[in-house]
């Protein structure tokens, strides 16, 4: 069976959120929309997103690094969100393995959100239905689009090509080759959900930083000895 999925390269993701904004733009006006933001800026923001990028600082100064971790529905091969749905709204397509929600059947009970160990489902506060990544099902199945455009919006928008899309059951596909050759892994496989989406690990780049390099030697205040004000005219006082 075909299993469409994303493979995300954590080594080149720069956390620009292009995938987030392109996803929001495409899906809010498409088949899966709308995706509302009732209160996006206050202390307790609300809004519906199919894709989010979480950013972490790891390590101990000065040996630190920033990790950008995009996360959306993983389109599990054994999705726990499907059997708990009391109305059958949550389902997995047999032809391509994508997990979807039928809004006409969804009653917003949140059972699927509780069952999902990845936190990939969100309640649309306006429509009162559960929403999640659809892998842009309306794009990838649109025969009127060119082959290049028949990909998820996030894949097309990524400036570093950190997002790959294809059939993970096809051993010759780009995603399968990347997983096999670059050590791709599933998120939290111990849950037995068999996530279709995979991640490519970050490459460790080690460098030695001497204590002297932590002090800025070209500090302009040191060069001009402006650490204390003497009352004398400086370049900052000159009117050009």
């Amino acid at each position: 069976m075909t299993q469409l999925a994303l493979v995300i390269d954590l080594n080149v993701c720069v956390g620009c959120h292009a995938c987030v904004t392109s996803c929001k733009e495409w899906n809010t006006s498409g088949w899966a929309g709308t995706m509302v933001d009732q209160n996006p800026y206050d202390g307790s923001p609300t809004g519906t997103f199919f894709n989010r990028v979480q950013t972490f600082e790891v390590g101990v100064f000065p040996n630190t690094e920033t990790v950008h971790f995009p996360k959306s529905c993983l389109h599990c091969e054994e999705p726990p969100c499907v059997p708990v749905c009391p109305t059958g709204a949550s389902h997995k397509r047999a032809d391509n393995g994508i997990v979807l929600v039928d809004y006409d059947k969804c009653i917003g009970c949140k059972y699927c959100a509780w069952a999902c160990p990845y936190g990939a489902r969100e309640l649309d506060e306006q429509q009162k239905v559960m929403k999640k990544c659809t892998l842009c099902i309306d794009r990838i199945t649109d025969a009127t689009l060119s082959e290049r455009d028949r990909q998820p919006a996030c894949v097309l928008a990524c400036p570093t090509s950190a997002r790959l899309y294809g059939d993970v059951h096809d051993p010759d596909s780009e995603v399968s080759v990347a997983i096999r050759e670059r050590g791709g892994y599933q998120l939290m496989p111990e849950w037995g959900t068999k996530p279709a989406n995979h991640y490519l690990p970050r490459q460790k780049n080690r460098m030695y930083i001497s204590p002297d390099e932590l002090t800025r030697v070209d500090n302009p205040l040191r060069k001009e000895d402006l650490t204390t004000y003497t009352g004398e005219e400086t370049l900052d006082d000159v009117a050009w």
Side-chain angles (χ1 to χ4, degrees), residues 61 72 159 219 230:
F61 180 83
S72 59
N219 190 327
T230 61

Side-chain angles (χ1 to χ4, degrees), residues 3 5-6 9 11 47 58 78 80 82-83 111 115-116 122 127 130 139 154 168 178 187 189 193 230 232 235 237 240:
Q3 177 61 66
L6 297 174
D9 189 347
N11 198 53
V58 298
E78 298 291 340
V82 171
Y111 280 4
C116 176
E122 302 183 11
Q127 293 183 279
M130 302 305 294
R139 286 185 66 99
C154 61
V168 293
L187 187 62
T193 60
T230 61
E232 299 177 0
L235 291 176
D237 301 319
W240 298 94

